[in-house]
Amino acid sequence: MTALDLSSPVAVVGTGTMGQGIAQVALVAGHVVRLYDAAPGRAREAADAIGARLDRLVEKDRLTPADRDAARARLLPAAELAELADCTLVVEAVLERLDVKQELFRALEDVVDDDCLLATNTSSLSVTAIGGALRVPGRFVGLHFFNPAPLLPLVEVVSGFATDVTYATRAYETARAWGKTPVACADTPGFIVNRIARPFYAEAFAVYESQGADPATVDAVLRESGGFRMGAFELTDLIGQDVNESVTHSVWQSFFQDVRFIPSLAQRRLVESGRLGRKSGQGWYDYRDGAERPEPHTAEQAPPPAYVVAEGDLGPASELLALIREAGIEVREEDEDNGTRLVLPGGGQLALADGQTSVEFRDVVYFDLALDYRTAGRIALSHAQDTSARTVAEATGLFQALGKKVSVIGDVPGMIVARTVARIIDLAYDAVAKGVATEEDIDTAMRLGVNYPLGPFEWDRRLGRTWACSLLDDLHQRDPSGRYAPSLALYRHAYATEKREGTP
């Protein structure tokens, strides 16, 4: 089944920010769009607001005056649901309450033809549960746009348990015809993006709750080392702490309180105090007039070591060896089975974060994962209280000699970027194994939906197919709650890789 013909009228029910955005997308694509809202006068107000946005597109040369005028003529506010009778697609963007949505779609079934595609823009409710109230549930799908809908390309096309594949295909092709990038997924809590993105927030909050690092430092490491567009604390302040926590809580409850999705107590306290982020003036950060943004912890300048001894190739951090040589520091190489560390002149060791803690070893400093060690602007280090001051200074000076700022955090297993990326990879493998989506669609969704620098499977290929499982297994040994236990899907993948490569 192909995309809806442009001669087919489309309806949007609910005229808030998201409803207006979806209506604008369909309108600019060329459809007649009928706007309906239960509140009298809201549909007309929304039509006026959309018209104003079309004017701004003309001012920016993104739309011609003739196309704007034609689009305005196709935008038709509706006073009654009955006016939607000729529509071939109705997209709902009303209050996130199951009973409200079910009641709306039952009423719509009395108005539209049985072949009309019905879609919900829900981000947190079960598509199956909403569609379960319908007489013809096979034509019901989720069309989850991201805000602002006219700008963000991703649309999650969600098939409920009863959704007919022909209608899911029609929804998918229609979203693509509208200039969007659709991804197909099954009806699972959080769909793709809100399911797999949970560790990005959760691990940052966990580091903070363990007093491993302050929000400004965690955010700086995620941005400047991990390559993420924003850190977890600043991003949740932008989203709204209440909104972000609500999604986390919904996913956690929907997965029967699975410990992998457990909410943060620190975030709960933030919400309870009314510090909801930018919209309230305070969140993790203070946005009130005159407030100063806290600076991340940055280590004082230290002299670089005269040389380092490389035991092994450093695995995912192997490009550091070339950078160290380029900085004029001698690299002495020694062949070591399973060696992945640097030995510093004072005898201390420098190792990539692996899920273990420094306190378990004598004189070890860990360094965090980076998206690209050449371009990273900051590197995090962690060490135990009894790590020698000389080892910490030599490790700090080494990375500073490579042009990096250094943030020293507490002895946190898996540090910041490494544990976050490993958990994202794990949830992605689990989702594929359970039929939620394909690897390609998951990578696309995470890049476009939350602007990750790489999709989970792209990370996995770059880091090595056993890296995430190994790190999570180490973390699980130190926190046996189940939060870090590798999923069966990731374990199978890592084990199969070891067998292919002949690793004992």
Side-chain angles (χ1 to χ4, degrees), residues 46 70 91 127-128 136 160 174 184 190 194 198 200 209 225 237 240 251 277 294 323 373 377 386 465 489-490:
V91 184
V127 171
T128 300
V136 187
T174 297
N194 280 330
R198 294 344 300 159
F200 180 74
E209 288 174 333
S225 183
D237 268 356
V251 171
L323 298 180
Y373 284 99
D386 61 354
R465 300 295 186 128
L490 184 65

Side-chain angles (χ1 to χ4, degrees), residues 241-327:
Q241 298 301 331
D242 53 339
V243 174
N244 181 261
E245 196 220 17
S246 176
V247 173
T248 298
H249 196 271
S250 174
V251 171
W252 176 61
Q253 289 284 20
S254 297
F255 277 113
F256 308 104
Q257 300 186 356
D258 187 330
V259 70
R260 295 176 301 166
F261 301 100
I262 193 167
S264 160
L265 181 59
Q267 188 180 37
R268 174 92 291 262
R269 293 292 179 257
L270 204 66
V271 173
E272 289 173 340
S273 70
R275 298 187 177 191
L276 307 181
R278 289 180 178 272
K279 63 186 177 183
S280 70
Q282 285 182 285
W284 294 111
Y285 300 106
D286 192 339
Y287 301 94
R288 295 172 297 180
D289 291 343
E292 292 186 8
R293 179 72 175 259
E295 294 293 325
H297 174 272
T298 301
E300 296 291 332
Q301 195 67 32
Y307 67 90
V308 295
V309 179
E311 296 184 350
D313 63 4
L314 298 188
S318 59
E319 64 183 318
L320 278 175
L321 298 180
L323 298 180
I324 292 169
R325 292 188 178 96
E326 290 170 17

Side-chain angles (χ1 to χ4, degrees), residues 10-24:
V10 171
V12 177
V13 179
T15 58
T17 301
M18 184 57 77
Q20 290 182 31
I22 296 170
Q24 181 179 328

